[in-house]
Amino acid sequence: MFLAWFSLAMVIQATSMDSISIMTFNVLNFNDGPDWQRRVIGVADIVKNLQPDIVAFQELRSGCGDDQYEDLRKLLSTSHPFSHRANFMEYTQYKCSPTIEGQAIFSRFPVEQWSSHRLVATVKNEDNNQRGFLHARVRLPVSAPRAQEVTLDLFATHFSLGITEQMHNAKALLQHMSQTIENEPRATQHHCEHHPSHLLVLVGDLNSFHQNSLLSYLQGSSTFLNTSGFLTSAWHAMESVSMVNVADSIREEPDSTTKDKSKTQFTCTYHCDGKPEEEQQRDHLLFFSTPQSRWQLQLIKTVPAVSISDHRPVFATLSHRCLQSTSQPPPSRFWTVAFLLSFLIAVYVVRRFRRS
């Protein structure tokens, strides 16, 4: 009996969840970045150290005797057993052609639905690469007594190079996101009890810095979502995040050559020591929830990836306002120890009774 209670307490503690952590990382394909078999170890180490719930990777290639997705899957099979990839690009200019490239999502939780979608090119000569996005639907575990299920729809992408084509990428992706939430039940704005929560997250290498027209469009196109809400850029929402989190992240960047480690340096994700500031932030996370205020940014940071990739991974944590207020706290160490001691005492008493 005591052992059963102890096991139950551990299960509750393990499944209690009031936040979700997501990481996006352009790992640099093996044609443009040499020594992949060394670099893949560094990629896996970053994931294992940060322990995100879900990871989106870009520029995963296969061919020439290498398969970047399979290499990562072998190294992350224990921590992130649920994964899927989608290949969109094919290259024939290499000696061991064809070489294909795509994206992948790795998850700690079972994925209810996978789908991949190609983005149609509309401008000639602006970008010869086939673009697309990968969609994963995850039902997040919830232990709060008054809350119902939490649905996460994650969209991982790698946008085109030119702004004209990027805008077409964004329109097509927003239309798909709109279709995703059309049939979902809407949660009320002010009450948490018995109302499901729906979180949509767009992550990836958008090849665009945060102050340009693409990001403004993504955050202002509420009509495509058929709702009064809008997508929120985690970089913009960072202004409301505690500066303590920002400072902690800056201290983790030993490769920084900038003496004045400001927020601009902290938000750099691409060629941080060689590109102009306006070109250094290409990797993004945008989120939308129903209702809009249900999920909020808790933390966002970049992580050093020197000699691993030309990009830095972006790691963010989103917290659920209602689950934070309604979830019961996990058992404290006192009760854990009490359960264990009770069990040991019971075993001792039974053994003494049998001897007598």
Side-chain angles (χ1 to χ4, degrees):
M1 177 62 71
F2 292 104
L3 182 60
W5 276 105
F6 178 78
S7 301
L8 179 60
M10 294 300 98
V11 170
I12 293 175
Q13 187 172 11
T15 58
S16 178
M17 183 174 185
D18 57 17
S19 64
I20 179 79
S21 57
I22 300 171
M23 190 177 92
T24 179
F25 193 6
N26 183 327
V27 298
L28 183 61
N29 66 78
F30 55 62
N31 294 118
D32 294 332
D35 201 9
W36 166 247
Q37 292 304 323
R38 175 192 60 81
R39 293 193 295 118
V40 66
I41 303 299
V43 174
D45 286 344
I46 289 176
V47 174
K48 292 175 182 178
N49 289 334
L50 289 176
Q51 297 182 345
D53 295 314
I54 300 178
V55 190
F57 292 110
Q58 299 88 50
E59 286 200 28
L60 294 180
R61 289 191 179 181
S62 61
C64 306
D66 277 320
D67 190 325
Q68 290 181 281
Y69 167 75
E70 286 296 332
D71 291 339
L72 283 170
R73 191 177 65 84
K74 292 175 184 177
L75 293 174
L76 300 176
S77 59
T78 301
S79 61
H80 295 76
F82 307 99
S83 66
H84 188 77
R85 72 168 163 191
N87 294 317
F88 299 107
M89 309 177 193
E90 182 173 329
Y91 302 94
T92 58
Q93 66 267 38
Y94 303 106
K95 293 182 179 179
C96 50
S97 298
T99 299
I100 56 176
E101 178 182 310
Q103 306 161 41
I105 295 175
F106 285 71
S107 173
R108 288 179 51 223
F109 308 115
V111 177
E112 183 179 281
Q113 177 183 337
W114 296 102
S115 64
S116 59
H117 307 266
R118 290 176 178 265
L119 294 169
V120 179
T122 58
V123 180
K124 293 183 179 179
N125 301 323
E126 189 175 63
D127 188 354
N128 294 323
N129 297 307
Q130 172 64 57
R131 302 294 175 169
F133 64 91
L134 184 58
H135 173 204
R137 168 163 287 192
V138 182
R139 303 288 183 183
L140 301 179
V142 177
S143 63
R146 293 187 296 163
Q148 289 192 354
E149 65 182 18
V150 176
T151 301
L152 167 66
D153 279 296
L154 183 78
F155 301 86
T157 190
H158 189 176
F159 272 6
S160 298
L161 298 173
I163 184 61
T164 304
E165 196 65 28
Q166 289 173 1
M167 296 296 285
H168 287 287
N169 294 162
K171 289 179 181 178
L173 184 50
L174 286 174
Q175 287 175 340
H176 185 85
M177 295 175 72
S178 175
Q179 296 171 2
T180 300
I181 64 175
E182 272 184 358
N183 298 324
E184 285 292 309
R186 298 296 176 87
T188 57
Q189 183 72 26
H190 302 291
H191 301 285
C192 296
E193 295 88 347
H194 310 298
H195 287 287
S197 174
H198 193 188
L199 173 65
L200 285 81
V201 177
L202 168 61
V203 295
D205 179 359
L206 302 188
N207 274 314
S208 184
F209 59 94
H210 76 284
Q211 294 179 340
N212 77 349
S213 56
L214 173 65
L215 270 295
S216 298
Y217 173 77
L218 285 171
Q219 294 180 90
S221 299
S222 60
T223 54
F224 277 99
L225 296 177
N226 294 326
T227 178
S228 59
F230 51 87
L231 283 167
T232 300
S233 167
W235 292 124
H236 288 176
M238 185 185 71
E239 298 298 328
S240 62
V241 177
S242 170
M243 285 299 295
V244 174
N245 291 338
V246 176
D248 289 342
S249 302
I250 292 175
R251 284 197 292 269
E252 296 173 3
E253 298 186 353
D255 60 313
S256 173
T257 57
T258 304
K259 292 182 179 180
D260 180 18
K261 295 181 180 180
S262 62
K263 273 192 175 184
T264 303
Q265 177 64 19
F266 158 67
T267 60
C268 172
T269 71
Y270 178 69
H271 278 304
C272 299
D273 55 353
K275 290 280 185 181
E277 285 185 358
E278 65 270 15
E279 297 181 17
Q280 290 182 349
Q281 191 184 80
R282 296 194 176 192
D283 305 271
H284 299 267
L285 183 148
L286 298 95
F287 62 98
F288 169 86
S289 67
T290 53
Q292 182 67 17
S293 60
R294 189 62 58 87
W295 289 85
Q296 57 190 5
L297 181 70
Q298 183 176 349
L299 178 145
I300 181 170
K301 64 180 179 179
T302 59
V303 182
V306 181
S307 75
I308 297 177
S309 175
D310 54 350
H311 288 252
R312 290 180 179 181
V314 177
F315 176 90
T317 301
L318 301 172
S319 60
H320 192 293
R321 178 178 58 84
C322 291
L323 295 188
Q324 283 185 321
S325 62
T326 61
S327 59
Q328 293 178 339
S332 64
R333 290 185 179 181
F334 170 82
W335 288 110
T336 301
V337 173
F339 280 130
L340 182 59
L341 288 177
S342 300
F343 173 74
L344 294 176
I345 292 173
V347 172
Y348 174 79
V349 171
V350 170
R351 287 184 177 180
R352 288 295 301 267
F353 179 79
R354 287 180 178 177
R355 289 178 181 177
S356 62

